[in-house]
Amino acid sequence: MLKKFILYFLLLFNMLQLNAQHTKRPNIILFLIDDMGWMDSSVPFGDSVGLLNKQFKTPNLTLLAKQGVKFTNAYANSVCTPTRTSILTGMNVTNHGVTNWTSPVKNNTTDAKDTQLNPAPWKINGVDINRITTYPQLLKQAGYYTIHVGKAHWGSAGTPMSNPLNVGFMVNIAGHAAGHPQSYYGKDNYGNIPGKSTYQAVPDLINYHGSDTNLTEALTLEAIKSIEEPIRLKMPFYLNMAHYAVHVPIQPDVRFYQSYLDEGLDTANAKYASMVASMDKSLGDIMQYLSAKNIANNTIIIFMSDNGGLSLSGARGNEAHVQNLPLRAGKGSLYEGGIRVPMIVKWPGFAKANTSIKQYVIAEDFFPSILEMAGVASIKTIQNVDGKSFVPLIKNNKITDTSRVLVWHYPNKWIEGDGPAINYKSAIRQGSWKLIYDLRNGHKELYNLSNDIGEHIDLSMQQPAKTKQLTTQLKEILEKNNAPMPSYKSNSKKVEILID
Amino acid sequence: MLKKFILYFLLLFNMLQLNAQHTKRPNIILFLIDDMGWMDSSVPFGDSVGLLNKQFKTPNLTLLAKQGVKFTNAYANSVCTPTRTSILTGMNVTNHGVTNWTSPVKNNTTDAKDTQLNPAPWKINGVDINRITTYPQLLKQAGYYTIHVGKAHWGSAGTPMSNPLNVGFMVNIAGHAAGHPQSYYGKDNYGNIPGKSTYQAVPDLINYHGSDTNLTEALTLEAIKSIEEPIRLKMPFYLNMAHYAVHVPIQPDVRFYQSYLDEGLDTANAKYASMVASMDKSLGDIMQYLSAKNIANNTIIIFMSDNGGLSLSGARGNEAHVQNLPLRAGKGSLYEGGIRVPMIVKWPGFAKANTSIKQYVIAEDFFPSILEMAGVASIKTIQNVDGKSFVPLIKNNKITDTSRVLVWHYPNKWIEGDGPAINYKSAIRQGSWKLIYDLRNGHKELYNLSNDIGEHIDLSMQQPAKTKQLTTQLKEILEKNNAPMPSYKSNSKKVEILID
């Protein structure tokens, strides 16, 4: 009899323990910013506080960096949809084939016209949903409550990838096919004005229509409301807090704008800084909410931007390509300004507070990292996952791996005239070496990032062996992954990587 | 030692049992149709199959009626927002004060202009969210997974009532401030066409944009996808399956249209019948899904329309007010055609299959009924709940209560010229007696519904005592609830109910 009871007891105890384990799984928040540059905060991701860092006031991001670990060599792709798809699938851009931002309109390429090259056959509507397993799906299957709030932009309207509910999210607020909001202002209904709305009108925030609530604030309020549910249900949650900020349109957040003008910033910089401040307040509000609910210690926050800061002349000032200094160029470019992004991971009990990690990481690493953080083991995916978990780096920030190869690929035309490493470029990094390859003409540039983060000194002539080695590796990866390539208009032949 | 084990065992057993109990709570689906009349299906809610019943083919609704219980005296209000608010709050229209349909535009009355009367001070943006507790909130608190799909229309854009997430739903798909869709067609993006969208463009269904998927089908597919979650999580669910169908615009569902033309129906009737068939297919698809998931026996389905069928001349044929015969008039009217609606409850194990209940019930009864079905006891609400649970009627269909009083109140102007019991009317039913009161002039009509369902024989002169008694009761209820009343333009005085 006693034996039987003990057996029962153990059985039941196991079940309860399993349950307890489940409730102890960490919540995870990916705080993903749009178009935020590496220098666009008070937090220095460089070796010291830069001039541009001083234009911004981001006390909450500073706090996050103090509580977590900074990744100073974190990479995205040069435009948004490729990065978002890499995060979602764990695939490198050469593998998933969504090399450019997707149009909200189905079957509509976003490539600018070119006289020399035909567009590459990239996935213009987004990745094929039947060929991927997403990490939110896996998290959901593992008992996570999965929430998407804000910008989605994984695919065009009329396709499954346009709807976050189709990629593993149980809740979607304001995510759809568009890459930016029509307006950040509640008084504009975020664009939802009969007869005037565009594809960029932001959905779902109807109770803020006509109000003074900034889009970034509205998304924050809704995100907080959403995570009340899993807290109540005692389920671990994954929140994809994907702000539309700080993408154009550059519309000042009136709560912060004047203070930046008072600091002496010009209107373009003050407007932009106010949007960064707006985003920072969102982070702070969510961190405060987690503390108030006593779950801050069990919640991982990952902060990241989807590409470099916009550096074209216009919305962010008249002078182009100075917005990310000391990094060269910006969004759309394969120079560091376009692809190196701010990244912080706060993981109480695991990530050592107020430290830095120099090992380079890239967007597709988020897939295995998030699953590992969530304790989701034995992952089965349809696709080959290229990303590598950065969890070991967090657990031991002494690890360095100079043999790892990262690849970027942009066989597309982003803007009319080619800019600095903008349009038809591929790139590869190994250790501190980075090669940029021009798909138009086979021109190569080689930089040593360890002492030339600004990519000013092209070493391709001095270092022919390194240049050749990296070009060869780039070629192999592009071919192995069957990466989309443009073709020549003159003879319809596919562009090939030229080693010599 | 043994004692301790037994204690542990009992404790743990209790916990597990509690858990098991929870999983046995029934799922509840409210299948709410918009503007569907009492005669708009193959299912006869009258004593026999009527002529109009023969125009429709609704095999799934017929099946539901066979598996459940028909309420043949079920009432809504004469237009949609008042009914939807009564369901949500359990309050009679005289109590909640949302006497008319709310505009998608905030602070904008939907009353037509009148030369005699000023509009009543009704809640033009919807009910004050701080003064109500909704049943979805209570269900959610009790562990239900609450889902809204389709038409919401509880309040104007820019107010909390516009967003189903604010009234207790954990998921909202396609519900917002509008009362009808801009288009039922996927190829029209359900209205979301840049520069052409109105307040009626349907949100959230972006992955069907450009497709052939009818709105009713898209909502069904999304509803099924939504209930996968609580099934997976082993949580009971409440699904508010609130179709936009069969409200105008009357756009044929191409899957069914031709067959009705082939039957000899004219285009207006064939279009409308195809929309009813579309709705019926949705019901069938959901019922099939429940069976496939083995939860049909633990899922309650409540079928209901939010007001009577549209009977104005135009979209549903040239001749007005014949669309609900033998009932008089239609939507907007306090004659039976405007307020008596189809209603069926399938509750396996409780509602006796293939039976009818004649006892009259009304929209606000849904609040206490749904909570009782869900086993949610000791309900605390901010508002006074007027509704009465119909669960006792289901459990014992012999119960009749001829003393119960129902009240309708429409101190508004729906259409330009007054129609049959349309504009500025109140009504009261007790037993088989029904009095209709004209707020313009105090004119009274009295009908005995037991032998005059068509309300042709006004007995107010023959039955002065009954007329007086009902008028007095109506006046008391309107005054007790401080119901909104119009005022005279001539002297700004509030309209008062005149007993004699």
Side-chain angles (χ1 to χ4, degrees), chain B residues 34 38 159 171 179:
Chain B
D34 197 13
W38 195 64
T159 76
V171 174

Side-chain angles (χ1 to χ4, degrees), chain A residues 102-151:
Chain A
T102 50
S103 167
V105 183
K106 197 172 153 180
N107 302 329
N108 191 36
T109 186
T110 52
D111 284 304
K113 279 188 184 156
D114 193 66
T115 53
Q116 183 201 10
L117 297 172
N118 291 314
W122 65 284
K123 304 240 176 262
I124 60 173
N125 292 324
V127 72
D128 181 347
I129 201 163
N130 297 315
R131 302 210 165 175
I132 56 165
T133 309
T134 70
Y135 72 88
Q137 282 168 338
L138 295 167
L139 289 175
K140 188 168 82 168
Q141 280 165 24
Y144 270 75
Y145 191 103
T146 55
I147 303 164
H148 173 86
V149 178
K151 170 170 163 170

Side-chain angles (χ1 to χ4, degrees), chain A residues 2-44:
Chain A
L2 180 59
K3 243 185 176 172
K4 253 193 186 167
F5 270 117
I6 292 173
L7 217 75
Y8 271 120
F9 175 74
L10 289 174
L11 186 76
L12 293 166
F13 186 73
N14 273 347
M15 287 173 76
L16 289 173
Q17 226 186 4
L18 199 71
N19 212 42
Q21 262 179 2
H22 275 211
T23 58
K24 270 191 181 170
R25 286 179 296 176
N27 309 305
I28 304 173
I29 298 175
L30 174 56
F31 205 90
L32 186 66
I33 309 303
D34 197 14
D35 282 8
M36 180 184 168
W38 196 63
M39 297 297 292
D40 292 347
S41 74
S42 326
V43 178

Side-chain angles (χ1 to χ4, degrees), chain A residues 320-398:
Chain A
H321 306 310
V322 298
Q323 287 77 359
N324 300 297
L325 289 175
L327 304 187
R328 191 167 174 191
K331 180 179 183 181
S333 171
L334 296 194
Y335 286 135
E336 296 287 296
I339 56 174
R340 197 185 283 215
V341 291
M343 177 178 163
I344 298 171
V345 176
K346 178 192 172 188
W347 187 5
F350 291 91
K352 203 174 167 199
N354 209 14
T355 57
S356 286
I357 289 174
K358 288 193 178 169
Q359 176 61 42
Y360 43 89
V361 295
I362 190 165
E364 51 264 33
D365 298 344
F366 280 52
F367 184 107
S369 305
I370 288 169
L371 289 169
E372 186 173 350
M373 289 167 159
V376 179
S378 65
I379 301 157
K380 276 192 186 171
T381 60
I382 302 170
Q383 74 277 21
N384 285 326
V385 170
D386 303 302
K388 205 176 156 184
S389 173
F390 50 68
V391 169
L393 304 178
I394 291 177
K395 291 187 173 167
N396 175 7
N397 63 11
K398 300 281 185 300

Side-chain angles (χ1 to χ4, degrees), chain B residues 300-410:
Chain B
I300 298 167
I301 300 178
I302 310 174
F303 183 96
M304 163 88 161
S305 173
D306 69 344
N307 49 243
L310 184 68
S311 71
L312 302 180
S313 74
R316 291 199 52 200
N318 294 327
E319 195 181 348
H321 305 313
V322 297
Q323 288 76 1
N324 301 297
L325 289 175
L327 304 187
R328 190 167 174 190
K331 179 179 183 181
S333 171
L334 296 194
Y335 286 137
E336 296 288 295
I339 56 174
R340 197 187 281 215
V341 291
M343 177 180 164
I344 297 171
V345 177
K346 178 193 173 188
W347 188 3
F350 291 91
K352 204 176 165 198
N354 208 15
T355 57
S356 285
I357 289 174
K358 287 192 177 168
Q359 176 62 42
Y360 43 90
V361 295
I362 189 164
E364 52 263 34
D365 297 345
F366 280 51
F367 184 107
S369 305
I370 289 169
L371 290 169
E372 186 174 351
M373 287 167 160
V376 180
S378 67
I379 301 157
K380 274 191 187 172
T381 60
I382 302 169
Q383 75 275 23
N384 284 326
V385 170
D386 302 303
K388 206 176 153 181
S389 173
F390 49 69
V391 169
L393 304 178
I394 291 176
K395 292 187 173 167
N396 175 6
N397 64 9
K398 300 281 183 299
I399 293 174
T400 52
D401 177 3
T402 55
S403 67
R404 187 177 184 197
V405 166
L406 299 186
V407 168
W408 297 263
H409 184 51
Y410 192 76

Side-chain angles (χ1 to χ4, degrees), chain B residues 179-298:
Chain B
H180 65 84
Q182 188 173 336
S183 170
Y184 283 94
Y185 293 156
K187 67 180 167 58
D188 295 337
N189 302 345
Y190 313 112
N192 296 281
I193 299 167
K196 291 187 184 170
S197 63
T198 66
Y199 281 112
Q200 280 74 36
V202 182
D204 295 341
L205 302 172
I206 186 165
N207 44 310
Y208 304 96
H209 286 191
S211 77
D212 288 332
T213 313
N214 188 283
L215 174 59
T216 302
E217 175 80 2
L219 294 175
T220 308
L221 292 169
E222 292 300 308
I224 286 173
K225 202 160 72 182
S226 293
I227 57 179
E228 281 175 10
E229 290 304 321
I231 291 171
R232 194 178 56 80
L233 298 169
K234 302 199 194 326
M235 287 172 71
F237 64 81
Y238 172 77
L239 168 63
N240 212 46
M241 181 68 253
H243 276 294
Y244 279 96
V246 291
H247 196 291
V248 292
I250 303 299
Q251 294 175 308
D253 186 321
V254 293
R255 297 172 295 173
F256 308 102
Y257 182 44
Q258 187 60 45
S259 71
Y260 288 98
L261 290 174
D262 294 345
E263 293 268 324
L265 266 63
D266 65 23
T267 55
N269 279 314
K271 283 179 184 175
Y272 184 70
S274 79
M275 293 174 74
V276 172
S278 179
M279 168 286 286
D280 184 72
K281 180 179 189 303
S282 168
L283 176 64
D285 290 349
I286 289 174
M287 288 170 77
Q288 272 187 19
Y289 176 79
L290 299 174
S291 295
K293 289 281 175 182
N294 277 319
I295 55 170
N297 276 332
N298 194 35

Side-chain angles (χ1 to χ4, degrees), chain A residues 329-467:
Chain A
K331 180 179 183 181
S333 171
L334 296 194
Y335 286 135
E336 296 287 296
I339 56 174
R340 197 185 283 215
V341 291
M343 177 178 163
I344 298 171
V345 176
K346 178 192 172 188
W347 187 5
F350 291 91
K352 203 174 167 199
N354 209 14
T355 57
S356 286
I357 289 174
K358 288 193 178 169
Q359 176 61 42
Y360 43 89
V361 295
I362 190 165
E364 51 264 33
D365 298 344
F366 280 52
F367 184 107
S369 305
I370 288 169
L371 289 169
E372 186 173 350
M373 289 167 159
V376 179
S378 65
I379 301 157
K380 276 192 186 171
T381 60
I382 302 170
Q383 74 277 21
N384 285 326
V385 170
D386 303 302
K388 205 176 156 184
S389 173
F390 50 68
V391 169
L393 304 178
I394 291 177
K395 291 187 173 167
N396 175 7
N397 63 11
K398 300 281 185 300
I399 293 174
T400 51
D401 176 3
T402 55
S403 67
R404 187 178 185 197
V405 167
L406 300 186
V407 167
W408 297 264
H409 184 52
Y410 192 77
N412 303 87
K413 188 166 178 179
W414 190 52
I415 52 171
E416 198 45 52
D418 294 358
I422 293 174
N423 300 346
Y424 303 114
K425 300 289 185 297
S426 299
I428 180 166
R429 176 173 175 177
Q430 188 179 39
S432 61
W433 294 103
K434 180 174 165 200
L435 178 124
I436 294 168
Y437 185 94
D438 192 328
L439 297 167
R440 282 198 188 282
N441 50 30
H443 180 74
K444 303 168 190 75
E445 300 167 41
L446 181 71
Y447 299 103
N448 186 340
L449 296 174
S450 68
N451 54 22
D452 181 22
I453 200 174
E455 296 166 286
H456 299 297
I457 306 154
D458 177 4
L459 300 172
S460 57
M461 294 302 173
Q462 288 97 312
Q463 301 277 352
K466 182 51 74 179
T467 302

Side-chain angles (χ1 to χ4, degrees), chain A residues 167-185:
Chain A
V167 298
F169 289 101
M170 292 161 66
V171 174
N172 167 38
I173 294 165
H176 63 146
H180 66 84
Q182 188 173 337
S183 170
Y184 283 94
Y185 294 155

